[in-house]
Amino acid sequence: MIRDIQKLKEGPFDLLVIGGGINGSAIANLAADAGLRTALLEKGDFASGTSSKSTKLLHGGLRYLESFEFGLVHESLKERTIHFKSSPHLTKHLRFLIPIYKTDKRPFWMLKIGMFLYDFLSGKHLIQKHEILTAEEVLLKEPSLASKDLIGGVIYSDVQMNDARFCLENVLSAQEKGACVANYVEVKSIIKENGKAVGVIARDLKSGESIEIRASKIICAVGSWTNEFMRKEITKFPAKVRNTKGVHIVYKEKFSERAFLIPSHRDNRILFVIPWLNHSLIGTTDTDFTGSPDNVGVKEKDVEYLLEEAQRIFSKHDFCKENILSSFAGLRPLVSQEGSPSQVSRKYFIERSYTGILYVIGGKFTTFRKIAQECLNLVLKEKKSWEENVYTVYGSGKVSVNIPEIAKTFQVTEAVVKYLIDFYGIRYKDVLAIAAGDSYLKEPLIPGCQEIKAQVVYSIKVEMAQNLEDVLFRRLNLGYLEKNNKQCEATIKKIFDQYSNHL
Ligand SMILES: Cc1cc2nc3c(=O)[nH]c(=O)nc-3n(C[C@H](O)[C@H](O)[C@H](O)COP(=O)(O)OP(=O)(O)OC[C@H]3O[C@@H](n4cnc5c(N)ncnc54)[C@H](O)[C@@H]3O)c2cc1C
């Protein structure tokens, strides 16, 4: 991908999309696909906002059944399965176990009804039916769970995904179809003519240069930054978005191949403990956040809450802060509404401002395709009929190849080929092509890890990584595994020095 600032200046574009999170990236992908001259601007790295800080689930959202949001659950379950089938490299079927204790606020019968509804609402998009378990069956499957007061459990299916790469692969697809995309370009103000928005003044944060970009239509998908962005149009805007903070920790132990949904005892919310990167992802909190989205961070009390709830369920383990490899905080850009944070609906809507800018408000990761389609329908003069059960990003599609043969051709191990296919889908060969003929680039980034050095070059040359953090957190997942960082950082920096002429 080329970061072509000159092309941005030349414009004008049919559509300018502001915000390179999952929503903006998917809108740009579909717009380019529909033949629109499209530009996408992101002030940080792609997915550096909420779209790399999620629980990484494509899910219906079991708990939205409690608030009778059947439409949202049904739509999300359908979207979940579409991406699961179209992009196997970014998604993984996961079984979730909910242990149920006498002391839980939600009774067993309620969970049973919930499970029935969840499968029913999946309809033809059901991945695997749920199971109801006795306490003995739960402990047989998961002996590390606390047994005191356990009365049973349920197991159901959802999909785990790679959020940052989903976003990035939408951007890559958009550019492949002709969109002009750039990270580290921040929109500073709106250009208005006769009261209508006709472009923006943006700053290239790499060079400091101020640039004018013109477009017939503008969509703003800046998530948690919506309230402050709207104030660029008019100073007194009622808040459209309510930001709530969600913290995750990456805990050193992996408790199971299954994920767990834990009803919290402190505040009646639900938490997840999910196998991730050979460790466990534990989250999340849900508390109102009123500061600037640029300053969101993890607090001591967030970590304590997560450890306390995990300890209660996995009572046979000794949870301690020393085993936390990393932690991260993200903001849910929810539709502004009263009530406790976890009760606010995850629905979305699209609002047109008085200058004609379309704002995406609310939503969840799972429904990005629907949001993008609705935005495009508002932009295009004729309503486009979208392909219903397919959505492709850069690496989408099934890969069926002879792994030993490829390993032999590129002189790498079969494990490397398999890992690259799992990570990049049909684009795995582009990484191998970079490594071909260079034994240094075929080496693991650090001894014992599956990532190879060619992936860093690929991140720089193809995936527009601009700095160490982009590689560590949004091209690869190594940044979350703190113990590896120092050695890993030094190697990545070395490769950056060598290939920086590509930036
Ligand atoms: C803790 C947590 C867990 C979650 N888990 C899940 C889950 O498991 N499944 C699910 O479906 N959903 C989940 N969600 C919700 C989901 O992650 C979000 O709905 C989604 O990522 C929002 O995407 P977005 O594109 O709207 O926002 P963002 O990803 O935040 O993107 C907005 C982008 O706009 C950019 N921007 C802002 N201002 C400007 C400007 N002036 N110029 C240029 N760019 C600008 C920002 O840098 C940012 O990258 C979770 C959310 C949180 C917080």
Side-chain angles (χ1 to χ4, degrees):
M1 265 196 305
I2 300 159
R3 199 170 164 277
D4 193 344
I5 301 296
Q6 187 53 37
K7 195 170 158 199
L8 277 177
K9 284 193 245 173
E10 281 162 11
F13 293 93
D14 297 327
L15 177 66
L16 169 65
V17 184
I18 306 167
I22 186 61
N23 288 325
S25 305
I27 294 164
N29 187 13
L30 284 192
D33 196 53
L36 297 184
R37 276 173 50 81
T38 306
L40 171 69
L41 306 180
E42 164 55 50
K43 74 169 182 165
D45 185 22
F46 303 117
S48 61
T50 305
S51 297
S52 59
K53 319 276 174 40
S54 81
T55 311
K56 298 155 207 323
L57 298 177
L58 294 176
H59 62 161
L62 205 50
R63 72 191 171 75
Y64 309 133
L65 293 175
E66 279 182 332
S67 44
F68 305 108
E69 295 191 82
F70 300 138
L72 175 68
V73 176
H74 172 66
E75 178 178 72
S76 304
L77 288 168
K78 179 182 166 196
E79 293 302 306
R80 170 197 76 175
T81 307
I82 290 173
H83 298 304
F84 178 54
K85 290 192 174 148
S86 301
S87 301
H89 67 301
L90 294 172
T91 57
K92 187 179 161 202
H93 174 204
L94 211 53
R95 291 294 268 174
F96 287 71
L97 194 153
I98 314 179
I100 299 157
Y101 293 89
K102 239 185 249 165
T103 43
D104 284 349
K105 297 205 174 79
R106 294 173 187 87
F108 202 174
W109 62 262
M110 195 173 172
L111 263 294
K112 286 181 188 166
I113 293 176
M115 281 299 124
F116 170 79
L117 271 173
Y118 205 63
D119 281 0
F120 176 75
L121 290 169
S122 299
K124 63 177 181 176
H125 302 286
L126 181 71
I127 294 177
Q128 190 180 335
K129 270 181 86 172
H130 73 272
E131 296 166 50
I132 307 285
L133 307 176
T134 62
E136 292 71 34
E137 286 168 332
V138 170
L139 291 173
L140 214 59
K141 286 182 189 291
E142 297 297 346
S144 61
L145 286 172
S147 54
K148 185 168 178 278
D149 291 335
L150 183 70
I151 51 173
V154 292
I155 296 187
Y156 71 100
S157 284
D158 257 325
V159 169
Q160 187 174 34
M161 49 94 183
N162 186 335
D163 53 2
R165 287 205 64 84
F166 232 125
C167 179
L168 179 70
E169 292 207 12
N170 271 289
V171 181
L172 284 158
S173 267
Q175 190 174 64
E176 193 180 39
K177 294 167 194 163
C180 185
V181 305
N183 50 8
Y184 297 100
V185 174
E186 179 172 7
V187 172
K188 291 288 188 187
S189 58
I190 314 289
I191 306 169
K192 288 178 226 159
E193 279 171 9
N194 302 321
K196 291 283 158 238
V198 292
V200 299
I201 303 292
R203 184 176 294 273
D204 176 0
L205 299 179
K206 295 219 72 193
S207 66
E209 187 191 2
S210 184
I211 48 181
E212 184 179 310
I213 304 160
R214 297 219 157 218
S216 320
K217 297 270 170 17
I218 300 176
I219 297 183
C220 190
V222 295
S224 297
W225 285 263
T226 301
N227 294 340
E228 59 184 57
F229 194 96
M230 279 184 157
R231 287 181 193 119
K232 293 186 200 300
E233 290 208 62
I234 187 165
T235 41
K236 280 201 173 149
F237 235 110
K240 295 283 174 184
V241 164
R242 175 176 175 184
N243 286 325
T244 74
K245 185 176 88 164
V247 168
H248 288 91
I249 54 175
V250 181
Y251 198 77
K252 207 169 177 180
E253 261 170 275
K254 181 174 164 184
F255 301 100
S256 169
E257 290 305 321
R258 279 189 200 88
F260 299 87
L261 187 154
I262 308 174
S264 148
H265 273 196
R266 217 204 268 183
D267 55 11
N268 205 24
R269 296 190 50 254
I270 56 167
L271 289 116
F272 291 101
V273 177
I274 299 176
W276 191 54
L277 308 176
N278 274 324
H279 301 284
S280 292
L281 181 67
I282 305 179
T284 164
T285 60
D286 200 352
T287 49
D288 275 311
F289 184 87
T290 50
S292 164
D294 293 321
N295 300 329
V296 64
V298 178
K299 294 262 162 58
E300 194 71 22
K301 62 175 192 278
D302 301 321
V303 172
E304 278 161 11
Y305 168 84
L306 295 174
L307 287 181
E308 179 189 307
E309 293 293 340
Q311 181 69 75
R312 190 173 51 77
I313 296 290
F314 296 99
S315 56
K316 292 165 195 161
H317 292 263
D318 248 343
F319 281 81
C320 60
K321 287 184 185 152
E322 290 67 41
N323 279 350
I324 297 175
L325 296 173
S326 56
S327 57
F328 55 94
L331 292 176
R332 300 175 186 82
L334 307 177
V335 173
S336 194
Q337 218 178 59
E338 298 287 307
S340 84
S342 54
Q343 279 164 354
V344 177
S345 172
R346 268 50 175 173
K347 279 189 189 138
Y348 61 86
F349 69 91
I350 297 155
E351 181 168 308
R352 196 184 294 274
S353 75
Y354 79 106
T355 62
I357 297 181
L358 290 176
Y359 284 87
V360 174
I361 294 165
K364 47 195 279 221
F365 200 111
T366 310
T367 48
F368 74 81
R369 184 188 80 117
K370 290 295 284 181
I371 292 175
Q373 285 185 353
E374 265 181 52
C375 283
L376 260 286
N377 280 340
L378 290 169
V379 165
L380 295 167
K381 291 208 171 67
E382 291 162 33
K383 203 168 172 187
K384 190 170 167 356
S385 58
W386 302 99
E387 191 145 9
E388 251 319 290
N389 293 317
V390 187
Y391 182 90
T392 56
V393 293
Y394 200 59
S396 294
K398 281 218 161 60
V399 183
S400 33
V401 289
N402 184 334
I403 291 179
E405 206 174 279
I406 292 174
K408 206 167 149 207
T409 309
F410 286 95
Q411 294 184 325
V412 291
T413 63
E414 289 179 26
V416 164
V417 177
K418 191 173 172 324
Y419 155 70
L420 292 177
I421 291 173
D422 285 349
F423 203 74
Y424 296 100
I426 61 165
R427 307 288 174 156
Y428 75 98
K429 258 196 179 166
D430 300 351
V431 181
L432 284 174
I434 286 173
D438 188 336
S439 52
Y440 174 75
L441 294 181
K442 288 176 195 166
E443 289 171 6
L445 249 178
I446 45 170
C449 83
Q450 54 186 355
E451 291 81 0
I452 58 169
K453 288 170 181 160
Q455 289 180 262
V456 180
V457 181
Y458 184 75
S459 303
I460 299 167
K461 283 172 79 169
V462 179
E463 298 183 331
M464 214 184 266
Q466 302 293 316
N467 55 48
L468 185 70
E469 290 233 325
D470 296 351
V471 176
L472 282 174
F473 290 98
R474 291 169 293 272
R475 305 303 178 280
L476 309 174
N477 283 320
L478 289 161
Y480 296 102
L481 311 174
E482 210 189 333
K483 64 181 166 44
N484 290 334
N485 269 4
K486 288 288 163 277
Q487 201 185 347
C488 197
E489 282 174 18
T491 313
I492 296 173
K493 274 186 190 146
K494 194 174 151 196
I495 300 174
F496 253 102
D497 288 343
Q498 210 173 334
Y499 288 86
S500 53
N501 58 332
H502 291 282
L503 300 181

